[in-house]
Amino acid sequence: MSSKAVSKLASALQNFGHRLIDQFWRLGSASRLFGYTLASSGESLRRPFLVIREIYFTGVLSLIIILVSAFFVGMVLALQGYNTLQKYGSSEAIGVLVALSLVRELGPVVTALLFAGRAGTAITAEIGLMKATEQLSAMEMMAVSPIARVIAPRFWGGVISMPLLASLFSMVGILGGYLVAVPLIGVDGGAFWSQMQASVDFREDVMNGFIKSCVFGVACTMIALFEGYDAPPTAEGVSRATTRTVVNSSLAVLGLDFVMTSFMIS
Amino acid sequence: MTDNIVEIDNLSFGYKGRLLHKGINMSFPRGKIVAIMGGSGSGKTTILRLIGGQLKPVKGEVRVGDKVVHEQGRNDLQKLRRKMGMLFQMGALFTDLSVYENVAFPMREHTSLPETMIRDLVMMKLNAVGLRGARDLMATELSGGMARRVALARAVALDPEIIMYDEPFAGLDPISMGVICNLIRNLNDALGATSLVVTHDVKEAFSFVDYVYFVADGVVAAEGTPAELRESTLPFVHQFVHGEVDGPVPFHYAAPDYRRDMLRGRDV
Ligand SMILES: Nc1ncnc2c1ncn2[C@@H]1O[C@H](COP(=O)(O)OP(=O)(O)OP(=O)(O)O)[C@@H](O)[C@H]1O
Ligand SMILES: [Mg+2]
């Protein structure tokens, strides 16, 4: 190997090492921010108005996209499911299939992905801009902790919104599935509901889905908050941070989903 | 000058290793208005941030009252900051709140005054900066000068003991400028506060401050009362006071030779 190639390899390796260390630093600062946020939560939970306002901004304003997506996901599930089940002569089980897919997986996961795109980016951009325009600095100088006043209410707003949005997603998705399966395709309505009721277990399915969406709520909101708080105070910095919020949240949701599912199923 | 509310003692500070301040000494006597002047980028804003405890000095210390700012814990620092009000260079108004709510913000956070009282106080503060009529506008609907005046009202909302103004005159028309000068003087005397004014505006500043520090090359290059500085024969002070381009203060950020820079990449 020529010395040029060696030095190229060395610099590539060095670059990789730098990035890796950088990521660890960021992970560290994110955990620290998480810790501070939890520690300052009491202060902001004592002023519920702040949290309610954030539930409105993250939760209520995400409703439209969540509900419309849920409706379509439910309809597609019913179409695809019917297509397969009918080959085995068990098309009445379509209700079970739709409900279980939604409650256990699609509800929490798709909601979290949409949440990251709709609410997460908004949170990151808002906090990044507040930082860039010195609003956080000004707050600090007024002896008001930005973590207690700005970060913690948004955190709880997101964490409370997510499970609610996920449950709505599952409900509307099931409704969409019902509309396709029963009135459109002509599956027996009684069988649709009764089989669903018999097979969906509250603790095994509904609770596990709920736990997932709570974990996703913490992860997505915290990533969005951290990216905003950590963004370089420039237009470019904020735009990059917003992109990172979507990428990191999505990866975190899919990774966490796999881990949690493997624990829940075993 | 024994009763100094803020003292800066042999302070050194730098971003990313490069020293910006190299041993600054200043003192701010209680009840006075002191101006900090210096070229753009000479670290004036940074000094205010050091006083507010948002940055840690590399060497030396800042004392507020008898407390060393960078040695305070979180709670003590908060207590210290409650005595201070700061007008940020860009205003830094909260963009999601109205003008009224911006000024009311510190009162809501730190006091449990009834709404009627808060309303009266906010109106008084806004009236002082001439923007009572703009109370229902959002912060984003203001012009730059208006935003700064609202920020001024917010900075003094809780009648602080130490008021720091970062460029209070930038972007103001001559009339508002005169009004703001008087306002700073009146606030200072009525509240018994101490004011630190960072500014480039020699003429305005010299008309109402009690003492002036000139910062250059990371040290205090000159100091004195406006009358003393006007008579000063230091070439540096003379240049600044009379706004001459040629002189010891460079207008340019440290850069390679202009001719060489322009010709770089060409065959010379
Ligand atoms: N966050 C930061 N990170 C790195 N360098 C900085 C930072 N803030 C300021 N600086 C540098 O420190 C120097 C002084 O900045 P500062 O804002 O204190 O200047 P200033 O005296 O207030 O200037 P102006 O009159 O233009 O407002 C500048 O050269 C700037 O490049
Ligand atoms: Mg400045």
Side-chain angles (χ1 to χ4, degrees):
Chain A
M1 238 196 299
S2 73
S3 71
K4 211 169 176 183
V6 171
S7 80
K8 220 173 177 177
L9 191 74
S11 90
L13 213 61
Q14 204 178 18
N15 221 324
F16 175 74
H18 266 305
R19 282 179 170 218
L20 200 68
I21 291 173
D22 221 50
Q23 290 306 315
F24 274 111
W25 265 107
R26 285 170 56 78
L27 198 65
S29 350
S31 321
R32 204 173 56 173
L33 182 68
F34 185 47
Y36 282 146
T37 306
L38 291 183
S40 324
S41 290
E43 207 173 311
S44 50
L45 288 178
R46 246 177 282 130
R47 293 164 64 181
F49 174 74
L50 289 178
V51 179
I52 290 170
R53 185 170 171 273
E54 298 311 326
I55 293 180
Y56 173 76
F57 279 117
T58 49
V60 178
L61 294 185
S62 308
L63 265 181
I64 301 269
I65 184 169
I66 299 275
L67 296 187
V68 171
S69 315
F71 196 66
F72 280 102
V73 168
M75 291 198 296
V76 168
L77 268 180
L79 279 180
Q80 293 277 14
Y82 178 78
N83 204 12
T84 311
L85 287 176
Q86 171 221 46
K87 287 184 196 145
Y88 304 98
S90 50
S91 55
E92 289 79 26
I94 184 82
V96 182
L97 181 119
V98 170
L100 283 184
S101 331
L102 280 167
V103 170
R104 291 169 72 137
E105 282 299 330
L106 292 174
V109 172
V110 178
T111 305
L113 294 178
L114 291 171
F115 182 91
R118 169 64 182 76
T121 50
I123 292 177
T124 303
E126 190 186 14
I127 304 227
L129 280 175
M130 286 181 89
K131 189 180 167 195
T133 51
E134 297 194 310
Q135 295 180 45
L136 298 185
S137 250
M139 210 176 263
E140 222 173 61
M141 279 303 297
M142 284 183 235
V144 176
S145 149
I147 295 189
R149 183 65 174 66
V150 175
I151 305 283
R154 281 169 178 70
F155 175 73
W156 287 107
V159 171
I160 294 172
S161 298
M162 184 75 93
L164 296 177
L165 288 173
S167 340
L168 282 174
F169 189 100
S170 299
M171 277 196 290
V172 173
I174 290 171
L175 188 72
Y178 171 83
L179 286 181
V180 166
V182 180
L184 199 70
I185 301 181
V187 174
D188 180 50
F192 183 92
W193 292 119
S194 65
Q195 290 216 9
M196 189 191 298
Q197 231 170 31
S199 314
V200 178
D201 182 70
F202 180 75
R203 219 189 60 78
E204 283 275 296
D205 304 318
V206 179
M207 272 326 270
N208 279 350
F210 177 76
I211 291 171
K212 275 185 183 176
S213 66
C214 290
V215 173
F216 295 158
V218 172
C220 286
T221 319
M222 208 55 228
I223 287 173
L225 288 168
F226 173 70
E227 291 296 350
Y229 197 70
D230 191 54
T234 59
E236 196 207 1
V238 175
S239 85
R240 276 167 179 244
T242 313
T243 311
R244 270 207 305 269
T245 294
V246 177
V247 174
N248 290 352
S249 304
S250 308
L251 291 178
V253 165
L254 297 172
L256 283 170
D257 184 47
F258 176 73
V259 172
M260 282 191 287
T261 307
S262 49
F263 274 105
M264 285 167 181
I265 280 182
S266 64
Chain B
M1 294 235 289
T2 44
D3 192 17
N4 293 327
I5 188 158
V6 180
E7 262 188 281
I8 298 179
D9 197 0
N10 192 25
L11 175 83
S12 295
F13 177 82
Y15 293 101
K16 297 177 191 141
R18 194 168 136 254
L19 272 191
L20 183 61
H21 302 128
K22 303 157 193 156
I24 285 194
N25 293 295
M26 293 181 180
S27 45
F28 303 89
R30 202 182 289 273
K32 299 283 188 213
I33 303 180
V34 180
I36 302 176
M37 309 187 101
S40 197
S42 56
K44 304 180 296 294
T45 301
T46 309
I47 292 180
L48 297 190
R49 284 186 187 280
L50 283 157
I51 295 175
Q54 293 192 314
L55 300 168
K56 264 197 169 51
V58 175
K59 233 175 66 197
E61 60 187 33
V62 177
R63 285 189 300 274
V64 172
D66 47 4
K67 304 213 169 66
V68 176
V69 174
H70 70 270
E71 287 170 2
Q72 304 298 309
R74 237 164 77 94
N75 286 340
D76 291 332
L77 189 60
Q78 299 277 12
K79 255 186 233 150
L80 218 54
R81 282 177 179 162
R82 283 200 205 185
K83 294 190 198 167
M84 307 180 191
M86 178 154 168
L87 168 65
F88 278 72
Q89 197 163 357
M90 301 298 166
L93 291 180
F94 302 128
T95 39
D96 55 342
L97 299 179
S98 66
V99 165
Y100 179 95
E101 285 300 323
N102 259 287
V103 181
F105 183 88
M107 304 177 194
R108 293 198 200 287
E109 292 294 322
H110 291 311
T111 68
S112 43
L113 294 173
E115 189 57 39
T116 50
M117 187 90 102
I118 289 186
R119 198 189 129 81
D120 290 349
L121 286 171
V122 172
M123 288 305 160
M124 272 164 55
K125 304 291 176 193
L126 281 176
N127 198 43
V129 295
L131 289 174
R132 191 163 39 89
R135 61 176 175 273
D136 293 326
L137 295 181
M138 289 305 285
T140 43
E141 296 170 325
L142 301 175
S143 76
M146 285 161 85
R148 197 178 312 244
R149 277 146 74 195
V150 174
L152 204 164
R154 185 182 67 181
V156 297
L158 288 180
D159 299 344
E161 279 177 54
I162 304 165
I163 317 178
M164 300 190 266
Y165 303 90
D166 198 350
E167 312 269 1
F169 308 122
L172 294 186
D173 59 80
I175 302 171
S176 328
M177 203 161 316
V179 173
I180 298 296
C181 275
N182 285 334
L183 184 65
I184 294 177
R185 183 85 249 177
N186 291 341
L187 278 172
N188 197 75
D189 298 348
L191 300 176
T194 308
S195 306
L196 282 62
V197 184
V198 164
T199 179
H200 296 273
D201 212 302
V202 179
K203 205 164 115 278
E204 285 305 326
F206 274 32
S207 71
F208 77 102
V209 304
D210 298 311
Y211 203 78
V212 180
Y213 285 102
F214 273 107
V215 182
D217 296 325
V219 293
V220 174
E223 59 179 288
T225 61
E228 285 167 10
L229 288 174
R230 265 200 209 99
E231 301 306 317
S232 169
T233 50
L234 281 172
F236 159 80
V237 177
H238 190 83
Q239 184 198 352
F240 213 96
V241 172
H242 299 278
E244 288 156 3
V245 176
D246 270 330
V249 185
F251 163 67
H252 293 284
Y253 193 85
D257 182 61
Y258 191 29
R259 198 181 113 85
R260 282 244 304 282
D261 238 13
M262 294 297 280
L263 294 176
R264 176 169 303 155
R266 291 191 215 162
D267 304 318
V268 197

